[in-house]
Amino acid sequence: MLTKELERAGLPTAHICALTPVAQMVGSNRIIPAASVLHPVGDPNRDPAAEKAFRRGIVERALRHLHD
Amino acid sequence: MRLQLDILNIKDVQFGDGTRITDGVLYINRQELQEFLKEDKRLSRVDIELAHPGEKCRIIQASDAAEPRAKTKGGVDFPGALGKQGPVGQGNTCVLRGTAVVASEYRREGDPPMQPGFPRHGRIIDMSGPGAELSIYGKTHNIVLVPWPANEISVQEYRIALKIAELKTAVYLAKAGKDLKPDEIEVYELPAPSKIEKGLEHLPKVAYIFQFIPGQFETIPGYPVLYGSNASSIVPTILHPNEILDGAMVTPYRTMAIDVFGLQNHSIIKELYQRHGKDLCFAGVIITVGHGDERENERAAIMSANLAKWVLGADGVILTKSGGGIPEVPLALTAQRCEDLGVRTSVAITHYPADVGDADGSILFNAPEVDAIVSLGTPWNPITLPPVDRIIGEPAAFPEGPPVDGPIETTLRWMKGVLSQTGNSRLIAVRY
Amino acid sequence: MDERSLESNREFKTHRSPVLSNSDNSILNGVRIHRKEENKMGGKTLRVVHYLNQFFGGIGGEDKAHAEPQIKIGPIGPGKAVQGAFGDQGKVVATIICGDNYFAERIEDATTEVMNLIKSQEPDVVIAGPAFDAGRYGIACGAVCKRAQSQLGIPAVTGMFVENPGVDLFRKDVYIIETESSARRMSDVISKMVNIACRLVAREKMGKPSFEGYFARGYLNNEVSDRIGAERVVSMLLAKLRGEPFQSEVPPPRYDRVKPASGLKDLHVATIALVTDGGLVPKGNPDRIQAREATRFGSYSFNDTDGLNPDDYEVNHVGYSPVFVLQDPHRLVPVDVMLDLEKEGVIGKLHKKFYSTAGAVCVVENIRTMGQAIAKELKDEGVSGVILTST
């Protein structure tokens, strides 16, 4: 629901969210699935370098959604 | 699988020289039980108190409750959790009805609270007044354990020991009834789907999908949940309903409105049993787990739906959850996958919107096919509890807070035994 | 000895089909007339003021939609039905008429002007409309009723069709009787409106929305059913399987949609900010952001070389277990990766503060207010796009 107010004010917002059905239901427009509720842009099962690369992948996806 | 519950109706519980049941009264040798429980070196001390309906007594920090039950024939008590692995769900189990073992958690300074803003009194059971009227534990004779952790053990280790103490006590007490003639008998017998008795083919086949771990809370390693081990990553599977009723499943440390007592007396399973052969055919139970990420939830939803349709042959399923708002997402997904396969669904949930003035937030899903929703009430309704004469349990070592024996303004969320995710309560949340 | 098996010992309670209530666009049958013989108002005749638009007030049609607020003595048009419904218990002492466009073009001020006229009559009750499907009229009725309640402390009731925008805007604050889209069954609707008004004056407990005919106002209250939840859910499923009508105990939620802002033309020159509702805050939670039903948010600077140090942060959020985020806050707020992207020129700039609140058990109103405030701050600071991370 934060996304709607940000978008309403003219700020395109990419929403990285674990529970995408909720995001869809409340009306977020740019939704990117997160890794997990407990670590949206992380993965404790990977080693730190691999985890950072994984995180970057999700963030880059989010940025693509922000791009026109 | 045929399970017979041999039920003794207990009228009173008192401490005495030996643990036995005479004329409907359960006597407990307190010292013997304490020593038995202290064999677990994770505990430094175990206080045991009794609380009776009608007393001006308040149990605080109530973390879970279990009905005293012990296998007398054909099985093992809480398999895996209490050590021995073995079958459950058949044979005979002695039940001390009218009593409950309540575990009250001792929180040391510095132990993480379950969540921020946790009140000093934790979850409450009042034995008289408005709290007692609403709670099932206001009507049972409660044997309350207040185990203290040994100094060096972690809070997670303590929480496991706390649950084990509760289960051990439930068994210990019920063993006192093993040679006595039961006052009542309940029989639970359900053959495999392919062997359902003739004459029931025309009845609708109804299965139950039970999300027994919400997936929104951290798992404690080594916590005995399913046959004594953790189950947070399992894929959906089929259990015989008797396994749930007879101790194969134990609640994880953190759930909302479900206790071991509620599993032993699972209202939806009992309702399906009761109507089996009358207006439905009880097709079976699928257990599943909520997850924190979408892929896992999608996998669980598809697998649950397939089990319901293609293995149990269900025409309809009932679904419930065991947590707050987040688990409603996998719940709804599972229901949608069932509806996609033509298996009709109905759902029963407690509501966790922001507060009582936010009825629109009362469910976290909006799928048109999931249109049969039963309300199990909302925990945010306020309740005022009167002052009491006696407190059992230790208030959490947090700073401010009004005295726990005084009047308390709180909500149903902090009462134990009032709401029930297994449908045991008559509360229903109505929109105004 | 009592030996009963579960299959035979308990009586099977007869399943009762619940009454089907179609709340989409039809009025319920059974008009509830207030009981004239139970004069709970202590014998005093209520002073009623009625608000109407230009059309129902008899001034004219769309050509008169710019009419300024004016006051007339006694009931006019539908006001006569209002008078009839009140009977001896109330007197429509005045009617305020205002053009729909006049109101819609200056809602706050028009509300004040109308209120001044209403106040002059010292009313006990305000009745507005009903507005049926007319959007501007519905908004006017809702605004007038809401202000009458808050400013004069008196009951104010109106009526609208479900798709009237006034419903979503005002149903939490004002009792709105559900009507059809066209102005049929006017006296039916007015009876229900007057019934609600009388109950409010008498301080009686209000019945359920479906019974009294008003749109649910958003309050959840527990009541005690005659059957436990387990029985209800099995029965509901069987009704659904048999193709019988059933009434879900929980209606689906309503959420408004918003048109997305246009995307960024060029990421290389954009300033991106990170926002989270996962409750990540500096140790000690200096802004005291609540872990649930948050009304506050914070903005926190971070070091553009080191990013977020786990020792400096904590999580205040009741809806998830923060273990993994506490080990590495970047798992919630990806500052480290964003700093790299900034260095590499993929984005123009990373805003050097992240915004945080807790999205657990959130109140729509609060989230809305916070969202607006955060948006304003971000825009003032030159941010052009946002990545929001949620658990």
Side-chain angles (χ1 to χ4, degrees):
Chain A
M1 283 172 276
L2 273 178
T3 55
K4 284 202 292 196
E5 297 313 319
L6 297 169
E7 296 264 1
R8 234 194 281 262
L11 288 167
T13 303
H15 192 182
I16 301 176
C17 172
L19 303 170
T20 56
V22 179
Q24 272 169 346
M25 184 179 70
V26 304
S28 284
N29 296 112
R30 299 169 227 261
I31 302 171
I32 298 96
S36 159
V37 164
L38 302 178
H39 39 83
V41 284
D43 186 350
N45 297 316
R46 298 179 200 230
D47 71 68
E51 186 183 4
K52 195 170 176 195
F54 174 70
R55 172 154 52 251
R56 180 157 167 151
I58 301 179
V59 171
E60 284 176 339
R61 254 183 95 179
L63 287 174
R64 283 199 290 279
H65 271 74
L66 283 182
H67 197 230
D68 214 0
Chain B
M1 235 196 211
R2 181 187 187 279
L3 171 68
Q4 178 167 314
L5 297 185
D6 298 318
I7 299 168
L8 294 166
N9 290 320
I10 303 296
K11 303 187 299 229
D12 193 13
V13 181
Q14 293 175 25
F15 290 123
D17 294 331
T19 300
R20 68 185 188 288
I21 297 170
T22 310
D23 293 329
V25 178
L26 170 67
Y27 295 92
I28 304 177
N29 181 333
R30 186 199 260 177
Q31 196 174 353
E32 182 181 84
L33 177 55
Q34 277 170 325
E35 261 149 43
F36 173 45
L37 295 178
K38 277 166 62 182
E39 285 173 11
D40 186 338
K41 295 301 170 214
R42 295 174 288 196
L43 304 174
S44 62
R45 170 176 154 176
V46 182
D47 293 345
I48 304 177
E49 302 292 337
L50 303 178
H52 300 94
E55 287 181 346
K56 288 180 72 172
C57 168
R58 172 168 298 148
I59 305 170
I60 61 173
Q61 295 293 350
S63 110
D64 198 274
E67 190 168 46
R69 294 191 179 194
K71 296 299 298 176
T72 51
K73 190 151 77 156
V76 151
D77 297 308
F78 297 109
L82 296 185
K84 257 178 79 172
Q85 201 49 272
V88 284
Q90 56 205 10
N92 295 57
T93 303
C94 175
V95 177
L96 305 189
R97 189 133 291 169
T99 66
V101 177
V102 177
S104 173
E105 183 168 351
Y106 180 91
R107 295 178 189 276
R108 296 169 295 196
E109 193 144 355
D111 275 351
M114 284 206 310
Q115 60 188 74
F118 196 83
R120 298 184 72 222
H121 49 68
R123 286 201 171 88
I124 295 174
I125 297 173
D126 266 10
M127 302 309 298
S128 61
E133 277 162 36
L134 286 173
S135 167
I136 56 173
Y137 305 121
K139 299 155 185 100
T140 48
H141 294 272
N142 299 321
I143 300 96
V144 189
L145 308 177
V146 191
W148 293 40
N151 273 334
E152 306 75 40
I153 66 160
S154 68
V155 69
Q156 295 191 331
E157 277 295 310
Y158 167 62
R159 285 170 179 168
I160 296 176
L162 178 67
K163 190 53 115 336
I164 301 289
E166 174 193 329
L167 301 177
K168 276 177 162 174
T169 305
V171 175
Y172 167 90
L173 295 176
K175 282 201 160 116
K178 70 176 166 42
D179 295 320
L180 299 180
K181 207 149 100 156
D183 298 319
E184 284 174 44
I185 287 184
E186 283 172 11
V187 173
Y188 296 89
E189 183 163 20
L190 192 68
S194 53
K195 297 200 174 3
I196 294 280
E197 49 268 42
K198 299 247 177 299
L200 300 189
E201 301 87 354
H202 63 291
L203 292 173
K205 296 177 190 38
V206 176
Y208 171 45
I209 299 182
F210 181 24
Q211 183 204 83
F212 71 107
I213 295 181
Q216 62 189 123
F217 307 123
E218 184 200 343
T219 308
I220 295 181
Y223 205 94
V225 178
L226 185 64
Y227 282 98
S229 297
N230 250 321
S232 321
S233 338
I234 65 169
V235 286
T237 187
I238 293 174
L239 279 193
H240 191 281
N242 290 2
E243 293 177 88
I244 296 173
L245 299 176
D246 205 27
M249 190 187 274
V250 168
T251 41
Y253 170 70
R254 193 172 166 193
T255 47
M256 293 151 107
I258 294 191
D259 298 320
V260 170
F261 194 105
L263 295 176
Q264 293 163 313
N265 290 285
H266 200 302
S267 301
I268 290 175
I269 291 180
K270 284 167 67 168
E271 181 75 10
L272 290 170
Y273 254 121
Q274 197 191 338
R275 291 162 87 153
H276 175 72
K278 299 194 178 84
D279 57 359
L280 57 85
C281 180
F282 186 4
V285 177
I286 295 162
I287 59 167
T288 182
V289 156
H291 295 281
D293 74 76
E294 197 177 343
R295 279 178 41 133
E296 289 280 359
N297 282 332
E298 283 283 359
R299 174 168 75 160
I302 299 247
M303 292 180 72
S304 300
N306 280 342
L307 285 173
K309 168 112 180 159
W310 301 114
V311 179
L312 296 181
D315 299 308
V317 293
I318 305 215
L319 300 100
T320 65
K321 57 169 180 161
S322 57
I326 286 182
E328 287 173 21
V329 175
L331 177 87
L333 261 177
T334 306
Q336 281 175 290
R337 294 292 155 263
C338 289
E339 292 279 353
D340 288 345
L341 294 178
V343 177
R344 313 312 302 281
T345 61
S346 73
V347 159
I349 52 175
T350 49
H351 311 288
Y352 290 83
D355 61 33
V356 289
D358 182 35
D360 291 324
S362 63
I363 54 173
L364 244 66
F365 56 90
N366 188 9
E369 61 275 48
V370 186
D371 56 354
I373 308 174
V374 160
S375 164
L376 297 178
T378 176
W380 303 140
N381 270 190
I383 185 170
T384 303
L385 302 176
V388 294
D389 295 334
R390 183 178 161 226
I391 290 285
I392 302 178
E394 302 290 322
F398 297 152
E400 324 84 48
V404 294
D405 60 349
I408 294 182
E409 298 271 344
T410 183
T411 61
L412 297 185
R413 190 228 178 296
W414 296 111
M415 308 293 303
K416 203 138 200 46
V418 174
L419 290 152
S420 166
Q421 306 257 29
T422 54
N424 190 32
S425 149
R426 293 195 295 144
L427 287 180
I428 168 173
V430 176
R431 310 174 116 218
Y432 275 85
Chain C
M1 177 181 75
D2 233 2
E3 188 167 312
R4 293 165 272 171
S5 84
L6 202 65
E7 282 92 340
S8 56
N9 69 348
R10 279 192 254 158
E11 284 169 18
F12 170 61
K13 297 189 189 99
T14 315
H15 164 69
R16 292 189 310 233
S17 282
V19 172
L20 174 65
S21 159
N22 178 359
S23 65
D24 268 357
N25 55 9
S26 64
I27 303 180
L28 294 154
N29 295 322
V31 174
R32 183 159 167 85
I33 311 276
H34 74 281
R35 288 156 290 190
K36 292 186 185 180
E37 59 276 15
E38 285 178 21
N39 191 336
K40 291 202 173 122
M41 270 70 79
K44 177 191 173 238
T45 307
L46 298 172
R47 292 176 62 82
V48 181
V49 168
H50 191 195
Y51 174 84
L52 290 173
N53 73 353
Q54 79 282 0
F55 173 75
F56 287 99
I59 303 182
E62 272 304 304
D63 55 313
K64 291 287 192 234
H66 285 284
E68 293 183 7
Q70 51 196 272
I71 184 167
K72 300 236 158 99
I73 308 281
I76 301 218
K80 304 204 176 99
V82 175
Q83 180 62 69
F86 270 107
D88 299 328
Q89 295 185 303
K91 182 163 191 271
V92 179
V93 298
T95 304
I96 318 288
I97 302 168
C98 180
D100 282 339
N101 282 349
Y102 183 89
F103 204 104
E105 284 160 16
R106 51 180 73 67
I107 295 179
E108 278 300 304
D109 290 340
T111 309
T112 306
E113 288 173 51
V114 167
M115 277 312 301
N116 287 338
L117 292 174
I118 291 179
K119 267 195 291 191
S120 70
Q121 299 302 305
E122 296 179 354
D124 301 304
V125 173
V126 167
I127 299 285
F132 300 101
D133 199 13
R136 291 164 293 154
Y137 189 16
I139 291 176
C141 288
V144 166
C145 285
K146 184 174 174 182
R147 186 78 70 86
Q149 280 172 175
S150 61
Q151 208 174 329
L152 301 181
I154 58 176
V157 185
T158 180
M160 290 174 219
F161 177 60
V162 63
E163 283 171 22
N164 192 318
V167 171
D168 273 336
L169 285 171
F170 292 105
R171 69 183 170 95
K172 291 195 169 197
D173 302 298
V174 174
Y175 282 96
I176 304 176
I177 290 289
E178 183 170 8
T179 74
E180 292 178 356
S181 58
S182 67
R184 304 170 352 118
R185 315 244 215 138
M186 172 75 82
S187 47
D188 204 40
V189 170
I190 286 183
S191 281
K192 289 183 179 150
M193 286 164 60
V194 170
N195 167 56
I196 300 245
C198 290
R199 286 166 100 66
L200 288 171
V201 168
R203 296 183 188 278
E204 286 175 13
K205 180 173 170 355
M206 190 60 67
K208 291 198 192 107
S210 54
F211 183 67
E212 308 280 13
Y214 62 90
F215 289 102
R217 300 184 56 195
Y219 292 103
L220 268 186
N221 196 29
N222 284 333
E223 299 194 338
V224 180
S225 168
D226 56 335
R227 300 170 289 159
I228 61 172
E231 197 184 329
R232 287 181 273 134
V233 72
V234 174
S235 296
M236 191 181 284
L237 179 65
L238 291 179
K240 189 169 167 179
L241 284 172
R242 289 190 210 114
E244 286 166 14
F246 64 90
Q247 170 115 33
S248 179
E249 292 174 2
V250 182
R254 296 160 65 107
Y255 290 98
D256 65 324
R257 305 249 140 234
V258 83
K259 196 159 159 293
S262 26
L264 300 170
K265 293 274 179 273
D266 189 352
L267 283 177
H268 303 303
V269 302
T271 301
I272 311 286
L274 293 174
V275 178
T276 184
D277 61 12
L280 185 74
V281 295
K283 271 235 167 78
N285 193 11
D287 294 308
R288 297 180 304 114
I289 298 177
Q290 304 94 324
R292 59 187 292 276
E293 299 179 66
T295 58
R296 294 188 277 275
F297 65 89
S299 58
Y300 305 113
S301 307
F302 48 83
N303 190 311
D304 61 4
T305 32
D306 299 325
L308 307 175
N309 184 333
D311 294 331
D312 297 334
Y313 295 96
E314 63 185 48
V315 169
N316 216 41
H317 187 297
V318 303
Y320 75 108
S321 173
V323 165
F324 300 115
V325 171
L326 290 172
Q327 288 165 357
D328 181 3
H330 293 118
R331 288 174 173 153
L332 176 66
V333 184
V335 168
D336 56 353
V337 156
M338 291 295 284
L339 284 170
D340 288 346
L341 290 164
E342 183 189 46
K343 265 196 217 75
E344 294 165 28
V346 175
I347 59 172
K349 226 164 84 75
L350 170 66
H351 192 55
K352 297 304 182 301
K353 287 194 289 188
F354 72 89
Y355 278 74
S356 176
T357 184
V361 192
C362 44
V363 180
V364 173
E365 282 310 307
N366 294 341
I367 293 288
R368 216 176 255 171
T369 310
M370 285 197 285
Q372 286 164 1
I374 294 175
K376 181 170 191 312
E377 282 190 35
L378 290 176
K379 280 170 64 179
D380 287 346
E381 293 175 23
V383 170
S384 37
V386 174
I387 293 182
L388 169 69
T389 48
S390 293
T391 64

